[in-house]
């Protein structure tokens, strides 16, 4: 099977159909695909499953404040399979692709059953870490109207964390926890590297504001 021809169709479809928001744009998809390809090689997984799932994982997404937000990945998976059927992609991979897309979602909290699903989930979560993770966190928080940090207690030492109010709080409520939720050895190694960078960023921030 020539995946190169299919890949161009995946890209064209996601560019046209995906729900655009500050955290999930085309650059996010391309970074996830790039990471997934690397992990696929390192973990000796099936690219025939990983590649379409990585490209199509965000082909549908409810807004973050929508009551059905946790169901986004199921809708995306169904939409992806409909598209793959329309272009004649081999049906033998559909079940695994569907599962990988459904399970990638952090909010859905679905256990990954295959190495391919683990890779797609890991690739998506790696994009929330490192320099890109910092930029995305600030970008999304700004979209919510959040401040960068609390003037009275920037790092939440003596107050309850509130990541809808302060971008820095999100590092502690979610981002620093992601590395322990990565599935594959390759992703954990990269996740640890990116998390160290984020902690160094907060150390630098602390030195500048205190």
């Amino acid at each position: 099977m020539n995946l190169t021809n299919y890949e161009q169709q995946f890209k064209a479809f996601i560019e046209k159909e995906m729900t655009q928001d500050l955290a999930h744009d085309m650059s996010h998809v391309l970074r996830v695909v790039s990471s997934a390809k690397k992990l696929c090689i390192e973990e000796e997984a099936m690219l025939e499953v990983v590649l379409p799932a990585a490209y199509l994982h965000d082909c549908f997404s409810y807004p973050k404040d929508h009551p059905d937000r946790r169901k986004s990945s199921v809708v995306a998976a169904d939409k992806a399979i409909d598209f793959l059927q329309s272009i004649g992609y081999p049906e033998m991979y559909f079940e695994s692709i569907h599962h990988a897309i459904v399970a990638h979602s952090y909010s859905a909290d679905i256990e990954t059953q295959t190495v391919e699903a683990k890779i797609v989930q890991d690739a998506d979560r790696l994009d929330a870490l490192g320099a890109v993770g910092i930029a995305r966190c600030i970008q999304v928080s700004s979209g919510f109207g959040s401040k960068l940090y609390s003037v009275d207690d920037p790092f939440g030492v003596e107050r309850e964390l509130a990541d809808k109010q302060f971008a820095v709080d999100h590092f502690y409520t979610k981002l620093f926890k992601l590395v322990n939720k990565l599935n594959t050895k390759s992703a954990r190694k990269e996740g640890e590297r990116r998390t160290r960078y984020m902690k160094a960023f907060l150390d630098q921030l602390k030195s500048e504001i205190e």
Side-chain angles (χ1 to χ4, degrees):
M1 181 173 64
N2 188 344
L3 274 174
T4 302
N5 292 336
Y6 281 117
E7 186 168 4
Q8 295 306 313
Q9 295 181 77
F10 301 158
K11 186 176 180 181
F13 177 78
I14 194 66
E15 285 179 328
K16 183 179 68 171
E17 297 291 335
M18 73 181 297
T19 304
Q20 295 282 344
D21 64 42
L22 290 172
H24 303 93
D25 57 9
M26 195 62 201
S27 64
H28 164 69
V29 171
L30 295 177
R31 288 191 303 269
V32 170
V33 169
S34 179
S35 292
K37 285 180 177 179
K38 294 173 185 176
L39 293 174
C40 196
I41 293 171
E42 293 168 359
E43 300 296 329
E44 299 181 344
M46 288 191 295
L47 190 60
E48 295 86 352
V49 172
V50 170
L51 191 64
Y55 265 109
L56 305 175
H57 75 281
D58 278 338
C59 67
F60 178 87
S61 182
Y62 285 112
K64 284 189 176 294
D65 58 352
H66 195 282
D68 291 330
R69 175 71 179 179
R70 292 187 177 187
K71 299 178 183 178
S72 289
S73 64
V74 175
V75 179
D78 290 344
K79 183 176 179 179
I81 297 303
D82 287 343
F83 163 67
L84 292 173
Q85 286 178 325
S86 75
I87 63 172
Y89 199 77
E91 293 188 12
M92 62 185 290
Y93 302 116
F94 285 1
E95 183 177 352
S96 295
I97 293 168
H98 190 277
H99 169 64
I101 294 175
V102 171
H104 93 272
S105 170
Y106 185 89
S107 59
D109 194 26
I110 295 171
E111 184 177 353
T112 51
Q113 302 292 333
T114 66
V115 65
E116 289 78 21
K118 295 178 190 298
I119 285 170
V120 175
Q121 187 185 86
D122 283 355
D124 185 60
R125 291 181 178 182
L126 282 174
D127 203 51
L129 300 176
V132 167
I134 293 170
R136 289 179 73 204
C137 177
I138 294 172
Q139 185 179 36
V140 173
S141 295
S142 297
F144 289 151
S146 303
K147 296 179 180 179
L148 180 58
Y149 58 85
S150 165
V151 174
D152 298 326
D153 186 358
F155 304 101
V157 176
E158 297 180 354
R159 62 175 175 81
E160 186 175 348
L161 294 171
D163 60 0
K164 289 294 188 292
Q165 293 180 265
F166 309 109
V168 166
D169 286 23
H170 195 58
F171 285 58
Y172 298 103
T173 59
K174 179 180 177 181
L175 301 183
F176 286 155
K177 299 176 182 179
L178 287 178
V179 67
N180 293 322
K181 295 179 178 294
L182 296 173
N183 302 287
T184 63
K185 182 178 179 180
S186 304
R188 284 194 296 273
K189 182 178 179 180
E190 177 63 15
E192 288 167 358
R193 185 183 73 83
R194 295 189 186 196
T195 300
R196 286 195 298 271
Y197 181 90
M198 298 174 78
K199 290 181 177 180
F201 168 78
L202 289 190
D203 288 341
Q204 178 65 24
L205 180 65
K206 183 177 182 180
S207 74
E208 294 178 13
I209 64 177
E210 292 188 344

